[in-house]
């Protein structure tokens, strides 16, 4: 087993001196990004994690590499990074295709905290760099970090790129001799997607580490690092003479943080190269919703519970059924819509319970709407009703009944009971199977048509013919309801600006071109009809829902299909399935069809794993658009403010060679409620998805409606946890 050479011993001596010389201060440096995006030193990771809910973008340059990294911290113990690397000393493709564009490599990193730091023991994390990608920079590592006053010291071991120096023999050779060497990653563009699990943890082990020092100036952090890579085994070094000179394994840098959201890093690396990086970070997961100055204020409560009874008695008004007919229900419905965001479709009564059927249009949190609605109902109706029930009905299907005690809400607003007592007087139940349950008091006028304009954006990143290909379009979407359970919906799109004229590379495919004909769909016409379909919905049982649809289902496919979902209201799981017969549309996205057709569909199991941290996962098994069969796993963390961070991966019976670059379909996404950003309440949200490649394998039909989303208000835990949130 080789020993550390004198220069390496000198490096660790310097690091030890820095640790012992600076422990006079007490404040440790905050976690900062490495030039690879995740929390770390310069070239190497540390065991530290960013704050839960954090996202960051880091752009760095160290010749010949420019890195563009996006990192998410969905849990305190999990960090994920998606990255593009531009390699300046090679071209992406032939000049006719990519011109002088540099080669772009795509990768995903994962780091997991194994042990949280204690007074005596360090924080320990395990990570994988460039997992499931081309493998050009792949590495596996174990790293420990310990705070010592103003110093945060890290020490780690790595196989692969981070440990390419190979200081130690791989201890796994005692199990199998194949761990002694690591397969070469010197492959060309057409060979990518072949680096997999069989190469993990193989090859010699490299030592890396370093320190971050928080200077007396709060905005300045110094970094000293011992790099575990000797740069003699860079990607394609054999055929491209890509060996990079390293005069010393020590890297020195400083980080300037003008505020908690910006990091500017400058470093001197390898003894002869400058590195510069910019990191912009924020924390949408723990962010509070923006103030709502454009919302109408909640109506003032004009009387207490006792006063309401007295007022009713003194007025000599008829009570119960006679009094019900005297109310201005249309005015009440208008107030519920304007102030509580609840669109009323029907009002009925059952004994001393008032039932209001409709759906929420405005407020993301149930408590906001319930509080506003209770004030309006109490002020308008007096004491003839003991319970109010808001019956949510979406797309003609009863979803959930939220019932609350009138008296409990009055006593809560007077400060006579607390949150827990109020929650015990609010119920979430499955709607009755009886149609038109109760005596009807009011039915709103039908609104058979609705629609509006929006701006659409589509992009492809990291292709050989342009790093960013994009389109901005103006869309008009509308729906015409024939009955509450049958409607026609459609979208007309006008291209405004795009640069898809650069899109010339369709990529080789051994599968039917179910998605990689993207270029032809983008260029055939400026006016398109992405969607035009007839949809029918039905509640099939207490906890079972169904959809049937036919038409132009998405921009590439037309056909017929159906979905069914079983979602018990008192359970954390749901089970659904869909089946679709589709045919490929003409490239102009008008009314014509192409020859390719396929039957596709999936069975999906949904589960909420952790009610405290809201881990929601799904497993879909079935047949995809290219006729391949397999499974898609989707795991997401949903924060209390509605922000969702997730990742997905699809693996089918298509081989890596047939799939092409990337080996399998995968991506990460973040979904943010617009309510957190805008000055007016809304239940809309925006989603950003980073999918490294558009390939034909593992491609799903992009259905317009999904029953699991439509029935989201059946989530009992979300309802109660957020009901009284400020």
């Amino acid at each position: 087993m080789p020993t550390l050479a004198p220069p390496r011993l000198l490096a660790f001596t310097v690091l030890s001196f820095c640790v012992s010389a600076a422990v006079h201060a007490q404040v440790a440096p905050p976690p900062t990004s490495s030039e690879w995006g995740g929390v770390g030193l310069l070239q190497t990771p540390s065991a530290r994690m960013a704050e839960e809910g954090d996202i960051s973008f880091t752009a760095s340059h160290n010749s010949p590499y420019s890195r563009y990294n996006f990192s998410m911290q969905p849990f305190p113990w999990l960090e994920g990074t998606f990255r593009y690397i531009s390699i300046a000393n090679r071209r992406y493709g032939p000049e006719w295709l990519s011109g002088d564009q540099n080669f772009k490599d795509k990768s995903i990193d994962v780091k997991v905290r194994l042990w949280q730091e204690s007074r005596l023991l360090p924080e320990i994390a395990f990570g994988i760099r460039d997992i499931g990608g081309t493998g050009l920079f792949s590495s596996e590592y174990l790293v420990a970090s310990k705070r010592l006053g103003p110093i945060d010291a890290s020490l780690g071991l790595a196989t692969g790129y981070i440990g390419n120096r190979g200081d130690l023999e791989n201890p796994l050779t005692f199990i199998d001799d194949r761990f002694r060497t690591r397969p070469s990653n010197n492959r060309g563009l057409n060979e990518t997607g072949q680096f997999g699990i069989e190469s993990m943890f193989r090859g010699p082990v490299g030592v890396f580490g370093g320190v971050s020092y928080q200077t007396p100036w709060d905005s300045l952090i110094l970094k000293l690092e011992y790099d575990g890579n000797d740069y003699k085994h860079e990607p394609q070094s054999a055929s491209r003479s890509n060996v990079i000179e390293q005069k010393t394994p020590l890297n020195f840098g400083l980080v300037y943080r003008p505020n908690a959201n910006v990091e500017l890093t400058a470093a001197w690396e390898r003894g002869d190269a400058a590195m510069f990086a910019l990191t912009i970070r924020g924390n949408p997961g723990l962010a509070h919703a923006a103030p709502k100055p454009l919302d109408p204020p909640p109506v003032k409560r004009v009387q207490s519970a006792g006063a309401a009874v007295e007022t009713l008695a003194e007025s000599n008004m008829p009570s119960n059924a006679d009094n019900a007919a005297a109310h201005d229900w249309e005015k009440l419905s208008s107030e519920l819509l304007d102030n509580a965001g609840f669109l009323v479709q029907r009002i009925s009564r059952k004994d001393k319970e008032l039932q209001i059927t409709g759906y929420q249009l405005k407020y993301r949190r149930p408590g906001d709407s319930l509080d506003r609605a209770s004030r309006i109902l109490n002020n308008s109706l007096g004491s003839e009703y003991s319970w109010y029930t808001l019956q949510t009905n979406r797309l003609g299907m009863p979803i959930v009944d939220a019932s609350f005690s009138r008296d409990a809400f009055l006593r809560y607003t007077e400060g006579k009971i607390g949150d827990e007592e109020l929650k015990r007087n609010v119920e979430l139940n499955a709607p009755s199977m009886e149609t038109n349950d109760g005596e009807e008091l009011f039915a709103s006028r039908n609104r058979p048509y609705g629609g509006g304009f929006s701006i659409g954006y589509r992009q492809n990143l990291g292709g050989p013919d342009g790093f960013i290909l994009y389109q901005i379009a103006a869309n008009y979407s509308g729906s015409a309801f024939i009955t509450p359970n049958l409607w026609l919906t459609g979208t007309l799109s006008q291209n405004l600006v795009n640069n898809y004229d650069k899109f010339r590379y369709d990529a080789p495919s051994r599968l039917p071109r179910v998605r990689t004909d993207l270029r032809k769909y983008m260029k055939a016409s400026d006016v398109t009809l992405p969607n035009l379909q007839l949809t029918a919905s039905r509640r099939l049982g207490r906890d079972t829902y169904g959809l049937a649809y036919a038409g132009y289902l998405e921009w590439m496919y037309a056909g017929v299909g159906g979905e069914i979902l079983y979602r018990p209201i008192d359970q954390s799981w749901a089970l659904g399935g869909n089946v679709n017969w589709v045919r490929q549309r003409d490239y102009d996205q008008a009314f014509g069809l192409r020859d390719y057709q396929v039957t596709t569909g999936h069975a999906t199991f949904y589960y909420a794993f952790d009610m405290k941290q809201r881990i929601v996962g799904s497993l879909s098994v079935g047949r995809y658009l290219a006729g391949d069969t397999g499974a898609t796993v989707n795991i997401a963390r949903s924060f209390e403010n509605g922000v969702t961070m997730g990742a997905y991966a699809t693996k089918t019976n298509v081989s890596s060679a047939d799939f092409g670059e990337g080996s399998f379909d995968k991506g990460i996404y973040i979904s943010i409620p617009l309510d957190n950003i805008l000055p007016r309440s809304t239940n809309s949200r925006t989603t950003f998805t980073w999918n490294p490649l558009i390939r034909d394998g593992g491609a799903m039909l992009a259905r317009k409606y999904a029953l699991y989303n439509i029935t989201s208000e059946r989530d009992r835990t979300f309802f109660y946890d957020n009901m009284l949130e400020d």
Side-chain angles (χ1 to χ4, degrees):
M1 181 178 295
T3 59
L4 293 177
R8 297 164 203 169
L9 289 175
L10 176 60
F12 281 106
T13 301
V14 173
L15 295 180
S16 300
F17 175 77
C18 291
V19 172
S20 61
V23 295
H24 59 278
Q26 298 300 317
V27 180
T32 53
S33 296
S34 74
E35 59 190 275
W36 291 80
V39 173
L41 293 167
L42 298 169
Q43 281 284 333
T44 63
S46 70
R48 300 299 177 201
M49 300 283 181
E51 186 181 26
E52 178 185 20
D54 185 90
I55 63 172
S56 64
F57 173 76
T58 299
S60 66
H61 177 75
N62 183 345
S63 184
Y65 302 120
S66 295
R67 301 180 178 92
Y68 307 95
N69 317 278
F70 178 81
S71 298
M72 297 192 305
Q73 191 78 41
F75 303 99
W77 48 268
L78 177 65
E79 173 190 274
T81 299
F82 176 68
R83 175 185 310 107
Y84 282 98
I85 301 180
S86 177
I87 307 177
N89 58 5
R90 73 192 76 175
R91 295 291 176 258
Y92 207 142
E95 186 175 353
W96 65 267
L97 174 64
S98 57
D100 59 357
Q101 185 190 181
N102 297 332
F103 180 83
K104 302 295 190 302
D105 182 66
K106 298 162 281 287
S107 59
I108 293 177
D109 300 355
V110 174
K111 183 170 70 175
V112 179
R113 187 176 65 200
L114 304 179
W115 183 270
Q116 192 165 6
E117 182 179 11
S118 63
R119 188 173 67 88
L120 297 177
L121 297 178
E123 192 142 317
I124 301 174
F126 166 75
I128 302 176
R129 181 176 288 177
D130 199 358
I131 184 174
T134 62
L136 297 182
F137 300 93
S138 65
S139 193
E140 306 80 43
Y141 61 87
L142 187 70
V143 60
S145 297
K146 190 75 178 74
R147 293 186 177 95
L148 303 166
I151 292 287
D152 192 10
S154 297
L155 183 64
L157 302 172
T159 53
Y161 187 83
I162 298 175
N164 265 343
R165 174 169 285 103
D167 300 295
L168 307 170
E169 185 177 85
N170 194 322
L172 295 179
T173 56
F174 292 106
I175 301 174
D176 193 321
D177 197 58
R178 69 186 179 90
F179 288 104
R180 191 177 306 277
T181 58
R182 192 178 185 94
S184 171
N185 60 358
N186 294 320
R187 300 188 306 279
L189 174 61
N190 294 328
E191 300 174 281
T192 58
Q194 300 176 13
F195 195 93
I197 297 176
E198 69 277 1
S199 297
M200 288 184 176
F201 309 107
R202 294 177 61 177
V205 175
V207 179
F208 67 91
V211 295
S212 294
Y213 168 58
Q214 176 62 64
T215 69
W217 185 20
D218 291 343
S219 298
L220 184 64
I221 298 170
L222 303 182
K223 292 183 177 182
L224 172 62
E225 173 185 69
Y226 177 78
D227 197 344
N229 186 7
D230 60 4
Y231 299 92
K232 294 179 181 178
H233 308 283
E234 293 301 284
Q236 300 187 359
S237 58
S239 60
R240 302 274 184 164
S241 300
N242 197 32
V243 176
I244 297 175
E245 182 180 1
Q246 183 190 56
K247 294 182 178 179
T248 174
L250 291 179
N251 300 326
F252 304 88
L254 57 86
V255 180
Y256 173 62
R257 300 173 72 245
N259 55 60
N261 304 110
V262 177
E263 299 170 13
L264 298 169
T265 303
W268 188 249
E269 299 183 351
R270 307 193 302 262
D272 66 350
M275 188 280 292
F276 300 97
L278 168 66
T279 297
I280 300 174
R281 65 171 67 249
N283 196 314
L286 300 183
H288 295 288
K292 299 292 183 282
L294 300 184
D295 279 359
V299 298
K300 293 183 178 180
R301 182 174 52 82
V302 298
Q303 54 192 3
S304 67
V309 176
E310 294 172 4
T311 301
L312 182 63
E314 293 172 359
S315 66
N316 294 318
M317 290 180 62
S319 60
N320 298 334
D322 294 333
N323 190 38
H327 290 302
D328 188 342
W329 297 112
E330 187 165 359
K331 179 182 178 183
L332 177 66
S333 299
S334 178
E335 290 177 347
L336 287 172
L337 176 61
D338 295 340
N339 196 275
F342 195 85
L343 177 63
V344 176
Q345 298 170 326
R346 179 177 180 266
I347 299 177
S348 61
R349 67 170 298 152
K350 187 176 183 181
D351 298 326
K352 290 183 73 66
E353 177 189 5
L354 187 71
Q355 301 169 333
I356 305 173
T357 302
Y359 54 92
Q360 174 60 235
L361 290 173
K362 187 174 184 179
Y363 297 100
R364 186 188 66 83
R365 296 181 304 170
D368 291 337
S369 180
L370 280 180
D371 177 65
R372 289 169 175 266
S374 70
R375 292 167 180 263
I376 295 170
L377 294 172
N378 282 312
N379 291 350
S380 301
L381 302 179
S383 62
E384 65 261 41
Y385 300 103
S386 300
W387 284 80
Y388 302 127
T389 297
L390 299 183
Q391 300 179 324
T392 296
N393 190 313
R394 293 199 179 277
L395 300 179
M397 298 181 292
I399 305 299
V400 70
D401 287 356
S403 302
F404 54 95
S405 164
R406 170 188 176 275
D407 181 62
F409 257 94
L410 284 172
R411 288 187 289 130
Y412 177 77
T413 58
E414 293 172 343
K416 295 179 180 179
I417 64 172
D419 292 354
E420 292 305 316
E421 180 67 22
L422 177 61
K423 285 184 178 181
R424 285 192 287 270
N425 287 274
V426 178
E427 298 178 359
L428 200 68
N429 298 304
S432 168
M433 289 299 295
E434 297 292 332
T435 58
N436 299 324
D437 188 24
E439 174 194 354
E440 183 175 289
L441 304 176
F442 171 77
S444 66
R445 292 186 296 272
N446 290 331
R447 300 184 181 186
Y449 183 80
F453 289 94
S454 64
I455 297 296
Y457 177 75
R458 181 179 284 118
Q459 70 178 22
N460 291 85
L461 296 177
D465 36 18
F467 182 58
I468 300 179
L469 301 176
Y470 64 89
Q471 181 201 48
I472 300 175
N475 301 325
Y476 181 82
S477 298
S479 297
F481 281 82
I482 303 167
T483 72
N485 297 90
L486 181 67
W487 69 97
L488 182 70
T489 185
T491 299
L492 188 66
S493 181
Q494 168 66 55
N495 173 63
L496 297 179
V497 61
N498 74 68
N499 66 344
Y500 274 89
D501 57 318
K502 298 180 180 179
F503 196 166
R504 298 182 295 273
Y505 182 65
D506 287 326
S509 181
R510 302 183 187 182
L511 299 172
R513 287 193 175 274
V514 296
R515 289 299 185 199
T516 52
D517 271 344
L518 172 69
R519 172 177 62 90
K520 297 175 182 177
Y521 281 96
M522 296 300 298
K523 295 181 65 177
S525 176
D526 282 339
V527 180
T528 61
L529 187 69
N531 171 258
L532 181 64
Q533 70 180 61
L534 184 68
T535 307
S537 63
R538 180 72 63 184
R539 186 187 183 201
L540 304 174
R542 180 181 183 273
D543 301 309
T544 307
Y545 297 87
L547 285 178
Y549 40 85
Y552 297 90
L553 305 181
E554 54 141 291
W555 63 315
M556 290 189 182
Y557 290 92
V560 298
E563 182 188 9
I564 190 170
L565 177 74
Y566 177 68
R567 186 173 189 173
I569 196 169
D570 55 350
Q571 300 293 328
S572 57
W573 60 273
L575 183 63
N578 67 85
V579 61
N580 313 273
W581 177 87
V582 296
R583 188 169 170 181
Q584 204 167 41
R585 297 179 62 180
D586 276 349
Y587 298 133
D588 62 4
Q589 299 173 59
F591 297 101
L593 300 175
R594 295 171 53 78
D595 292 336
Y596 182 76
Q597 61 187 35
V598 66
T599 299
T600 178
H602 293 81
T604 303
F605 179 71
Y606 307 89
Y607 195 82
F609 291 92
D610 187 324
M611 293 300 101
K612 183 177 180 180
Q613 294 189 328
R614 298 294 299 143
I615 307 171
V616 181
S618 66
L619 172 64
S620 298
V621 179
R623 192 179 194 213
Y624 296 82
L625 286 172
D628 47 333
T629 57
T632 297
V633 176
N634 190 325
I635 299 291
R637 163 72 192 280
S638 182
F639 292 85
E640 289 185 1
N641 63 4
V643 171
T644 300
M645 299 180 183
Y648 67 89
T650 298
K651 186 64 178 175
T652 71
N653 60 346
V654 172
S655 67
S656 296
D658 287 342
F659 184 92
E661 183 179 357
S663 287
F664 60 94
D665 191 41
K666 52 192 171 291
I668 61 176
Y669 59 90
I670 179 170
S671 180
I672 300 176
L674 294 180
D675 185 71
N676 293 357
I677 303 170
L678 300 179
R680 170 174 288 173
S681 293
T682 175
N683 55 16
S684 299
R685 60 175 53 237
T686 183
T687 300
F688 303 94
T689 300
W690 287 267
N691 180 264
L693 294 163
I694 302 297
R695 304 300 300 162
D696 295 314
M700 279 189 178
L701 182 70
R703 296 180 297 117
K704 184 174 182 64
Y705 301 104
L707 283 171
Y708 190 76
N709 296 332
I710 293 171
T711 60
S712 62
E713 284 150 313
R714 286 194 146 225
D715 189 334
R716 188 188 292 267
T717 301
F718 172 81
F719 179 86
Y720 285 116
D721 286 352
N722 291 274
M723 189 180 70
L724 302 173
E725 184 180 297
D726 291 330

